[in-house]
Amino acid sequence: MTLQFSLGSAAPATVDSACVLVGVYEQGVLTSAAAQVDSAAGGVIKRQVESGDISGKAGSTTLLFAPTGVAAQRVLVVGLGTQKSFDAARYQKVSIEAARALGRLPVANAVSYLTDVDVPGRDSAWRVRIAALASDYAAYRYTATFKPRDKNKQTELAALAFAAGTDAQGGLDQAVAIAAGVRFARELANLPPNICNPAYIAAQAQTFADTQDKVSCTVLDDVQMEKLGFGSLLAVARGSVNKPRLIALEYKGGNDGDKPYAFVGKGVTFDSGGISLKPGAGMEEMKFDMGGAAGVLGAFVAAVKMGLKLNLVCVVPSVENMPDGDSYRPSDVLTSLSGLTIEVLNTDAEGRLILCDALTWTAQTYQPQALIDAATLTGACVVALGKHATGLMSKHDDLAAELLAAGEETLDRAWRLPLWDDYQAQLDSGFADVANIGGKSAGAITAACFLSRFTDGQRWAHLDIAGTAWDEGRKGLATGRPVALLAQWLLDRAG
């Protein structure tokens, strides 16, 4: 069930709702909405603050049921932390925790006054957008479940209103579109690999295109790619009975003749490592190795739903990397679509081998004004940046700055790593133009250096989302990153 969002301006003590959300800082400082509720309810919030039942700690929640003098059935008091250091990141955190607490309650509707909280440097539209995206993120449930459904499931939140004026409507509209893209990406990435294979991703892309007036879809199969010379991509796919696909979505929201912006996303629907087999422990998480594909497709969905006035291309090379009698091997030499030859030193460095052909094809076919790829590419990026920041690499300072700014605006943040030519020597090969790995050190950077050899003449950036595309653990879900970052970058380009 998708959350329905709206804006409202009723006073917090008088609004008729199953639940209202108000904020309290540490040291007992009440927000305006909390103060109004407290006054109407005879000081119930202040008494709980004084008793220590409400701490104000960031992300903490306390439920007051049916307080006298308040029209709402419940009041959810949300801790905001210290007022002096309250910032955008804290606002996002408390919005997510508030939505999670709300989701545990048997309520169908609620009104949030957290959007009234002052966030330095951010306007009402931004506050509403972040709150709506946080709420939709927390409300997401993996729907394609194979477990028995709970017949006695409690009432679920269906509608959430935010306290804000009409000046925030644009932010809410953007949130609804971006949330649709995030959900699209999360659902695709969460599916098991026996369902979400290359043909399935192609079918989902085609289905979306069929429902949109300005969108078209092209899918190349292995026979067509063989004729065109996709030697690197096809080598990776050889070990699987699930045949590869190259999926290209086009959105023509701009003027005829305007060069498009282009996204390319790594779509390895399951990565066993191939002949360079991965360890068994944790291999189930390798269904998420198409997180880059899911992310760029989600950003494409968001752009279309926002009706952005620009042209956009989204290309997904999709394969399954499996060990088999016909699998490609370490020491094989591949001829890529660009003509560059590649010595395979490790078959588990397969993402760059499908991306290089896809990047070449995208550049040749569309001549984009900017080309961005997203990929769960390297464990080295997770070691460097952990689970919080996406790795960003580009030789174009202006493009890197644009993407970093988009990440700061949406709090889907990236951190730039160097892409100096000094690192290229690590990819030297005695048997081909380039090797597919560069040794132990600087693995995230050398992977990007490899891709840079196939993007000459392009205004190009690489996003390594290996740490940010999903949450770790057996119950970890896809995050939908970097949909928000890419959607904001497109919003900025569309003006």
Side-chain angles (χ1 to χ4, degrees):
M1 180 170 62
T2 303
L3 261 179
Q4 299 300 309
F5 296 116
S6 62
L7 301 178
S9 57
T14 62
V15 67
D16 184 14
S17 174
C19 187
V20 295
L21 286 72
V22 298
V24 173
Y25 296 101
E26 289 181 12
Q27 285 84 47
V29 180
L30 275 57
T31 59
S32 173
Q36 291 178 55
V37 169
D38 184 64
S39 177
V44 64
I45 295 178
K46 283 186 176 178
R47 286 197 299 273
Q48 295 217 25
V49 168
E50 290 165 1
S51 69
D53 292 299
I54 294 176
S55 68
K57 183 179 178 182
S60 63
T61 56
T62 304
L63 182 68
L64 308 179
F65 184 77
T68 304
V70 177
Q73 296 169 23
R74 300 167 184 81
V75 175
L76 187 65
V77 182
V78 181
L80 304 177
T82 56
Q83 186 175 19
K84 186 177 180 180
S85 60
F86 193 79
D87 60 7
R90 177 104 58 80
Y91 178 78
Q92 183 189 50
K93 175 186 175 180
V94 298
S95 295
I96 291 174
E97 293 305 323
R100 285 174 176 159
L102 193 58
R104 292 191 287 268
L105 301 177
V107 298
N109 60 82
V111 181
S112 174
Y113 290 85
L114 298 179
T115 44
D116 270 348
V117 175
D118 179 53
V119 182
R122 309 291 186 168
D123 61 13
S124 179
W126 182 91
R127 296 195 302 268
V128 166
R129 189 173 76 164
I130 290 295
L133 285 171
S135 301
D136 197 82
Y137 185 88
Y140 170 81
R141 299 292 181 270
Y142 174 51
T143 57
T145 181
F146 300 92
K147 298 189 293 185
R149 296 193 179 277
D150 182 3
K151 294 179 181 178
N152 301 314
K153 197 159 73 170
Q154 71 174 25
T155 302
E156 285 190 353
L157 185 67
L160 181 58
F162 299 104
T166 55
D167 58 330
Q169 188 62 51
L172 185 60
D173 293 341
Q174 291 169 5
V176 170
I178 295 170
V182 171
R183 281 177 172 263
F184 187 95
R186 296 184 79 187
E187 198 71 1
L188 201 60
N190 285 330
L191 285 168
N194 58 321
I195 291 177
C196 184
N197 55 33
Y200 182 88
I201 296 179
Q204 294 299 107
Q206 185 66 63
T207 297
F208 180 74
D210 291 344
T211 65
Q212 307 296 323
D213 290 338
K214 298 179 180 179
V215 178
S216 60
C217 181
T218 302
V219 179
L220 303 184
D221 62 20
D222 55 317
V223 176
Q224 293 166 302
M225 285 189 277
E226 182 81 46
K227 289 179 180 177
L228 291 170
F230 282 72
S232 185
L233 185 154
L234 290 173
V236 178
R238 273 184 8 213
S240 175
V241 295
N242 290 308
K243 298 298 182 184
R245 297 288 189 276
L246 186 82
I247 304 141
L249 282 166
E250 291 182 66
Y251 166 61
K252 295 185 176 177
N255 299 319
D256 288 341
D258 285 355
K259 287 186 176 183
Y261 297 97
F263 294 154
V264 176
K266 173 186 170 183
V268 179
T269 58
F270 187 78
D271 181 19
S272 68
I275 297 298
S276 306
L277 194 67
K278 290 179 180 291
M283 197 193 286
E284 71 279 359
E285 293 186 8
M286 287 302 98
K287 71 174 185 177
F288 294 120
D289 210 18
M290 39 67 68
V296 297
L297 287 168
F300 185 90
V301 168
V304 173
K305 289 188 176 291
M306 283 189 285
L308 297 184
K309 297 186 184 303
L310 49 74
N311 297 328
L312 177 64
V313 175
C314 180
V315 176
V316 171
S318 189
V319 305
E320 188 176 56
N321 186 25
M322 297 289 282
D324 179 77
D326 194 38
S327 292
Y328 77 126
R329 296 154 291 243
S331 79
D332 280 2
V333 173
L334 316 176
T335 301
S336 68
L337 179 62
S338 72
L340 285 176
T341 56
I342 305 163
E343 181 188 9
V344 178
L345 298 180
N346 189 316
T347 65
D348 193 23
E350 84 298 329
R352 65 200 72 183
L353 296 178
I354 69 170
L355 285 171
C356 70
D357 277 356
L359 289 166
T360 299
W361 183 83
T362 303
Q364 292 175 350
T365 306
Y366 299 105
Q367 293 88 48
Q369 55 181 303
L371 177 59
I372 299 169
D373 77 76
T376 53
L377 206 61
T378 66
C381 194
V382 189
V383 173
L385 298 177
K387 304 292 289 183
H388 303 289
T390 288
L392 165 63
M393 283 150 274
S394 178
K395 290 188 175 180
H396 302 271
D397 292 344
D398 55 346
L399 179 57
E402 291 168 6
L403 290 164
L404 290 171
E408 290 296 330
E409 178 70 13
T410 57
L411 303 176
D412 181 3
R413 294 181 291 187
W415 189 260
R416 192 177 182 187
L417 296 171
L419 193 58
W420 302 331
D421 287 341
D422 309 54
Y423 293 97
Q424 290 284 1
Q426 290 180 231
L427 295 169
D428 286 349
S429 167
F431 301 92
D433 294 318
V434 62
N436 79 323
I437 58 172
K440 286 194 302 182
S441 58
I445 294 168
T446 55
C449 285
F450 177 92
L451 295 177
S452 73
R453 300 194 181 205
F454 301 85
T455 55
D456 272 349
Q458 296 297 311
R459 187 168 176 259
W460 162 77
H462 163 62
L463 297 173
D464 192 328
I465 59 170
T468 55
W470 77 93
D471 295 320
E472 290 178 323
R474 290 182 60 194
K475 293 185 179 181
L477 295 174
T479 62
R481 295 178 68 181
V483 171
L485 184 158
L486 292 174
Q488 180 64 48
W489 180 76
L490 290 173
L491 263 169
D492 295 339
R493 308 285 75 71

